[in-house]
Amino acid sequence: MAVNRWTELVDREAIVAIAGDLVAIPSPSGQERNVMAFVADWCGKRGLEFQIAARDPSRPNIVVSIGDSDTGPTIAMNGHLDTVPVSDAAAWRTDPFAPTVSADGSRLYGRGASDMKSSVGVMLYLMELLRDAPWRGRLQTHVVSDEELSGNYGTLHVLDEIAAGRLPRPDYCFIGEKSDLKVRNAERGIFNFEITFLGRASHTAAARATGINAIAKAAKGVLALERDLEKFHPSVGKPVISVNTIRAGIAHNVVPGECTIQVDRRLIPGETRESVMTEVRAILDAITADDPDFRYTVDEDPRNDYIPANITPEESPLVQAFQASVREVTAQEPEYFVAWAGATDGRFYRQAGIETVGFGPGGENAHGANEAVFVDDLVTQARVYVETIGRLLGLDA
């Protein structure tokens, strides 16, 4: 399939303009109302149909639609407009909310430029570009709040509305998070648990006579758990385990009787919470062979946010369409996104049974000073999206 004329119509300056408009509106998580109002106004001026879906009216989501799902599949492009706050203003070379293109035109700077307002700009731009294109199906953009914190007010609410029949169910979903123009068809799972190491409290004076220091026991456990995991999955790379918090002690002169650590474990396909806990318990139980006073308890998933590793298979129509489109647009063989990357809202769509692929631009310093997105990547992202839409919805050349 040759690059179609709609791909050739992609306009670099128009993408930078809408991306800059979004960056210019501060929208830290919990304060998304103004930027969503801009999106609604932008769509209204262009005659684009949209619905507002909100669990909390101050944190709305906007679902923009073109086409007709009675004539073919529905594609949803998902992107979030909440950002992390600016906490390092003195380190910025530009105003975080004055979008600035570098002198050579290669980067757009601003809070949210990389994560991920510019990618949402690509999606909105494509809704206008393809508004009157001849195809069979429906194209949507799910512009959401609350990705950085929980998703509860954002994508999860949109999916609740889909499940309730108040919004159409997509057949496919594109996630625009940073992927360095690589195909992200899978994500690691998330499993958090707490381990409490048990000692025996006593006066410091009697520490060697009657006390058992729980912090000392925890130290053995932490050193055993904190390690590289020698497993690998071709779509996501290695799993990860990290001990991220520790709390113990009630006074400076009391031997601590308990010490609790929080462990964050990221899973690859094929791993489950049961298999992970079997491994963890085996590691800790081995310590008791040398230390009969080593005792612990485990609280699995205390925040109830476990989600298994999720994958859209390589042979799926969506992954195949993205791969073919990358080849067509870039004249290069597509790569899978295997990186030390966090979770995206794509996991929620996959959990709902919707084929999902992440494909987004490269960038720098997300969440930090001088955050930037690569402008050439935004253009490539837009062209790959158009090609992929064409393959799935029969967009005529």
Side-chain angles (χ1 to χ4, degrees), residues 318-335:
L318 180 60
V319 176
Q320 291 293 309
F322 260 105
Q323 289 177 319
S325 297
V326 171
R327 291 188 189 98
E328 191 65 61
V329 171
T330 69
Q332 296 179 354
E333 190 63 20
E335 296 180 58

Side-chain angles (χ1 to χ4, degrees), residues 121-136:
V122 168
M123 297 171 188
L124 292 173
Y125 166 75
L126 292 181
M127 299 301 286
E128 181 180 19
L129 176 69
L130 301 176
R131 179 180 53 202
D132 300 318
W135 58 24
R136 295 175 294 281

Side-chain angles (χ1 to χ4, degrees), residues 263-306:
V263 185
D264 190 347
R265 177 67 153 79
R266 303 302 170 98
L267 290 67
I268 62 174
E271 294 187 308
T272 65
R273 60 186 293 171
E274 291 79 15
S275 68
V276 167
M277 288 315 307
T278 296
E279 291 179 4
V280 167
R281 291 181 185 278
I283 290 168
L284 298 179
D285 289 347
I287 299 174
T288 62
D290 296 319
D291 184 354
D293 289 330
F294 186 84
R295 297 180 299 130
Y296 68 92
T297 63
V298 178
D299 182 7
E300 296 184 24
D301 196 21
R303 292 187 298 280
N304 195 33
D305 60 359
Y306 165 74

Side-chain angles (χ1 to χ4, degrees), residues 319-373:
V319 176
Q320 291 293 309
F322 260 105
Q323 289 177 319
S325 297
V326 171
R327 291 188 189 98
E328 191 65 61
V329 171
T330 69
Q332 296 179 354
E333 190 63 20
E335 296 180 58
Y336 285 111
F337 184 69
V338 179
W340 300 108
T344 76
D345 280 357
R347 68 191 189 276
F348 300 133
Y349 287 90
R350 292 193 190 94
Q351 196 171 42
I354 298 167
E355 291 189 20
T356 300
V357 162
F359 188 86
E364 299 172 330
N365 304 321
H367 292 200
N370 307 305
E371 179 178 353
V373 68

